[in-house]
Amino acid sequence: MKLYQEYEEVKRLEQIMTVLVEEGFGYIVDSIRMKKELPLHKRVTHTFNSKSKPLPPEVRLRNTLERLGPTFVKFGQVLSVRPDLVPLRYMKELEKLQDHVRPTAFSNIKFMIEHELGRKINEVFKYVDPIPLASASLGQVHRAKLLTGEDVVVKVQRREAEAMVESDVNIMRYLAELIEKHVEGARKFKPISVVEEFAKWTRNELDYKTEARYARRFRGMFQGSKEVYIPEVYDDFCSRRLMVMEYIDGIPLSDLEKLKKKKVNIRKVMENGLKAVLTQVFIHGFFHADPHPGNIIVMKNNVISFVDFGIVGYFDKEMKLKSSDLFIGIAEMDPDRIIESLMSFAAIPDGFDREAFKQEVIGVTASIHEKEFKNINVSKMLEEVLDIAYKYDLRMPTSLVLFGKSIITLEGVGLRYDPDIDMMKIITPFVEKKLAKRYIIDNIAYSTQKFTRFITELPKKTDAILDRLSTGKFEVDIGSKEVKTLALEIDRSSNRIAYGMIIGAFVVAGSLVVHVGEPLWLGLPLISLVLYGLAIFTCFTLFTSIMEERKLRNG
């Protein structure tokens, strides 16, 4: 069996090299020294020149991935949300990749359902519709009804899906190693890491129990919401390759014509959708990372439902704070704040030209000042800014890019329906009512937590320094005057730390009691205002003492 698999992988490798040459990427085959894997007639008849194809390289790349099949199509879809790896024009082209394949025979689907359930299909379902609602490379979805009467959808993995993906990923790893070794400049893009990330992503998609767990979490997040509904998962019938979920009666957001005929209020739907995404990201830190129009169902009364939870994104506290800063910058029309928040996301590469980057981003965000507020195209601005980040080798976190993709997708659908739709009217109230207040509180809490960790670790670090001093492994070369100066600095620093701890205590206390009592000013109760006032007064006192010390030094 192993010998057969190796033979199949060799044949598959030959096919990949052949397609690369035929699509004008022969120079890559030559660079990674894989010309020997080509059939003899291909070596003779094809030149290794990308100019042999008149199409733009991004179109040829999409054609190549489509010809190489489902695993490579999925890889292209991953690249389409990675502006740190590919330029904008490639991302836009790869977005066109479609994961639609011919449905497999229902007999295969029935076999998989019964295999995963461990019992006959009629022992669980009254019926399963043999015609699928959707068919993709890894699985397909069928409508069904449980014996207990509930209308459901059954997501079934194809029998060959796991083996096919595993084989192709092995070949991708091998090619990534060759590219990293032989192609000049490729190492900075870490092709091996990209393939490993793709492999992890795909493994998650192949595990339907993981998707079911994600769906349950989303359902809990929006329990009781009047704007968002998440379908129920029937855990008793779920496995790694089978998932049974409540059927959602509605119209996919992708079917704009049907939505128009039903006179659906698209503006309200867009508002609900965008608020749902912002809530997922900034409130819960866990969001649906593949909200293309087919995965959003419009129900009665403009309620929206998300389906297909295979791809999700996470925002930790720090990511929430940085992203909050970015969105507050957009809402407040502050290009400088947008630039600073973007730069905070990525490690700054060697030789980074900060001023040039800043000028290019200002060139894009200048539209915020020049245009009327209602004409701001949020998605276009995000796309262009991320493309500039790619140009300057700033690696944005994948979760941020996935979130940006969600905003871009929703705004794109809204603009197709109504070119005058104003996304900023939806974003701004959310920022003002929920995000800004939460940002302040979370920022205070996060800064306090970091300060507390510093104070907690200080004795350990001091002990470590003293241990090194006692063993003679700590070398210090300073004079007596410098020792006195150092002692004074330590004394000043300890005083400032004490002030800082007092300020932190006032701020934390004020935040903890923010919901105690009636709001008096800025939505805050009297006790919080007093504590924040004391914090500000102490800050002022500290600032005054620092300025006086500087005057004495300069004097």
Side-chain angles (χ1 to χ4, degrees):
M1 184 66 181
K2 187 177 179 182
L3 186 62
Y4 172 76
Q5 288 176 339
E6 289 177 354
Y7 172 75
E8 286 296 305
E9 287 187 0
V10 169
K11 294 299 288 182
R12 178 67 166 147
L13 188 59
E14 181 183 293
Q15 180 196 8
I16 293 168
M17 295 302 109
T18 301
V19 171
L20 284 171
V21 168
E22 290 176 350
E23 291 296 335
F25 293 111
Y27 65 93
I28 294 178
V29 178
D30 201 27
S31 297
I32 62 176
R33 304 174 189 181
M34 290 297 288
K35 185 177 177 180
K36 64 183 183 298
E37 298 298 333
L38 287 168
L40 183 60
H41 69 283
K42 292 292 181 186
R43 296 185 216 177
V44 174
T45 58
H46 284 272
T47 59
F48 292 88
N49 190 343
S50 63
K51 294 178 182 177
S52 61
K53 283 272 185 177
L55 294 172
E58 60 270 24
V59 176
R60 289 187 281 115
L61 176 60
R62 176 175 60 80
N63 291 340
T64 300
L65 296 172
E66 285 176 343
R67 287 182 63 187
L68 291 176
T71 309
F72 285 84
V73 166
K74 284 207 161 289
F75 185 64
Q77 290 171 333
V78 170
L79 291 179
S80 74
V81 293
R82 292 298 301 269
D84 56 326
L85 298 177
V86 295
L88 180 60
R89 69 180 193 277
Y90 280 81
M91 287 175 60
K92 301 296 283 183
E93 189 64 33
L94 293 176
E95 284 173 2
K96 299 175 185 176
L97 288 166
Q98 296 296 315
D99 186 22
H100 297 306
V101 299
R102 184 173 298 185
T104 188
F106 184 67
S107 57
N108 292 330
I109 294 298
K110 183 180 177 183
F111 171 83
M112 286 299 295
I113 292 174
E114 293 184 339
H115 179 271
E116 293 301 306
L117 288 173
R119 45 187 151 163
K120 293 293 182 182
I121 200 168
N122 57 12
E123 293 177 28
V124 176
F125 301 99
K126 280 186 179 179
Y127 74 87
V128 177
D129 191 342
I131 300 172
L133 291 172
S135 178
S137 55
L138 300 183
Q140 54 193 57
V141 179
H142 292 256
R143 190 170 177 180
K145 185 184 281 287
L146 293 172
L147 286 177
T148 47
E150 294 90 348
D151 287 318
V152 296
V153 291
V154 182
K155 185 173 181 179
V156 190
Q157 195 172 119
R158 290 173 181 266
R159 292 175 70 174
E160 72 283 1
E162 199 163 1
M164 174 194 69
V165 169
E166 193 62 38
S167 176
D168 277 348
V169 167
N170 285 338
I171 293 172
M172 285 180 174
R173 279 196 195 95
Y174 176 60
L175 294 176
E177 288 170 4
L178 293 176
I179 289 170
E180 199 162 298
K181 183 178 180 181
H182 297 299
V183 178
E184 188 177 349
R187 189 168 293 179
K188 72 174 184 177
F189 295 107
K190 301 179 179 177
I192 296 173
S193 297
V194 172
V195 171
E196 290 300 340
E197 186 179 326
F198 169 70
K200 182 181 177 183
W201 192 330
T202 309
R203 276 195 296 271
N204 282 339
E205 274 203 89
L206 286 166
D207 186 354
Y208 291 173
K209 284 186 80 81
T210 298
E211 182 177 347
R213 189 172 71 251
Y214 292 158
R216 287 195 301 275
R217 183 169 174 180
F218 277 107
R219 186 172 170 84
M221 283 161 47
F222 289 100
Q223 197 74 44
S225 171
K226 295 180 180 179
E227 300 168 340
V228 180
Y229 183 81
I230 305 298
E232 182 181 355
V233 175
Y234 294 88
D235 290 312
D236 291 343
F237 310 123
C238 292
S239 69
R240 282 191 72 254
R241 297 191 286 182
L242 178 72
M243 185 165 73
V244 179
M245 182 181 283
E246 177 184 357
Y247 173 74
I248 298 297
D249 186 15
I251 305 168
L253 193 56
S254 55
D255 195 347
L256 284 179
E257 289 304 315
K258 195 170 182 180
L259 291 170
K260 286 179 181 178
K261 285 179 183 177
K262 293 284 185 180
K263 296 182 179 179
V264 172
N265 185 343
I266 292 292
R267 289 194 177 214
K268 184 61 178 174
V269 168
M270 288 295 104
E271 182 179 341
N272 289 346
L274 187 55
K275 281 181 180 177
V277 170
L278 295 173
T279 299
Q280 290 170 36
V281 171
F282 293 113
I283 306 302
H284 299 288
F286 178 75
F287 63 97
H288 193 301
D290 189 23
H292 66 72
N295 283 343
I296 300 175
I297 310 296
V298 182
M299 304 170 69
K300 291 179 181 178
N301 301 320
N302 305 313
V303 174
I304 64 165
S305 178
F306 291 88
V307 296
D308 194 353
F309 304 95
I311 303 173
V312 298
Y314 298 90
F315 267 32
D316 60 18
K317 189 167 285 187
E318 188 172 2
M319 277 290 291
K320 282 189 202 177
L321 290 171
K322 290 177 179 178
S323 301
S324 298
D325 211 21
L326 175 62
F327 262 72
I328 290 170
I330 291 171
E332 293 180 350
M333 299 186 291
D334 185 349
D336 287 326
R337 190 167 192 168
I338 294 170
I339 291 163
E340 290 303 318
S341 61
L342 279 170
M343 291 183 65
S344 73
F345 283 112
I348 306 300
D350 293 336
F352 176 72
D353 191 337
R354 182 190 181 98
E355 191 57 36
F357 172 75
K358 185 174 180 178
Q359 291 305 315
E360 287 207 41
V361 175
I362 286 176
V364 173
T365 57
S367 60
I368 295 177
H369 290 293
E370 292 168 3
K371 293 183 178 181
E372 291 183 27
F373 197 61
K374 68 177 183 179
N375 292 326
I376 295 170
N377 189 322
V378 179
S379 60
K380 188 173 188 298
M381 187 174 72
L382 278 171
E383 283 181 333
E384 291 184 6
V385 166
L386 290 173
D387 197 43
I388 293 169
Y390 166 82
K391 178 180 174 182
Y392 284 85
D393 203 23
L394 289 177
R395 300 293 179 90
M396 294 294 154
T398 304
S399 287
L400 174 68
V401 178
L402 290 172
F403 168 52
K405 186 78 172 174
S406 301
I407 300 297
I408 290 165
T409 300
L410 288 169
E411 186 173 41
V413 173
L415 291 173
R416 274 172 55 203
Y417 182 84
D418 182 357
D420 294 323
I421 197 165
D422 186 357
M423 298 295 278
M424 291 304 294
K425 272 190 177 177
I426 303 170
I427 291 173
T428 306
F430 185 92
V431 168
E432 289 175 349
K433 290 181 182 178
K434 292 189 178 181
L435 195 55
K437 183 177 177 181
R438 190 178 183 90
Y439 172 78
I440 293 167
I441 293 170
D442 281 356
N443 199 15
I444 290 167
Y446 180 67
S447 300
T448 304
Q449 187 181 47
K450 287 183 75 176
F451 181 75
T452 303
R453 192 183 303 123
F454 166 74
I455 294 299
T456 304
E457 292 176 356
L458 188 61
K460 293 179 184 177
K461 291 181 178 178
T462 305
D463 283 343
I465 293 170
L466 291 172
D467 286 343
R468 293 187 70 183
L469 284 168
S470 64
T471 55
K473 293 180 181 178
F474 195 95
E475 294 184 4
V476 182
D477 185 18
I478 52 176
S480 59
K481 185 179 178 181
E482 289 169 310
V483 170
K484 290 178 182 177
T485 304
L486 180 61
L488 286 170
E489 288 297 332
I490 290 172
D491 186 50
R492 290 191 190 106
S493 297
S494 62
N495 289 336
R496 289 173 188 174
I497 288 172
Y499 269 112
M501 292 179 71
I502 294 167
I503 292 165
F506 283 140
V507 169
V508 172
S511 300
L512 289 172
V513 296
V514 76
H515 297 297
V516 177
E518 291 295 320
L520 187 66
W521 187 57
L522 294 175
L524 297 171
L526 177 62
I527 188 167
S528 288
L529 290 171
V530 170
L531 288 166
Y532 288 151
L534 288 169
I536 292 168
F537 174 75
T538 311
C539 277
F540 178 75
T541 305
L542 178 61
F543 176 76
T544 304
S545 69
I546 291 170
M547 295 307 295
E548 286 176 355
E549 283 177 13
R550 285 186 180 178
K551 283 181 183 178
L552 288 171
R553 285 182 190 176
N554 295 333

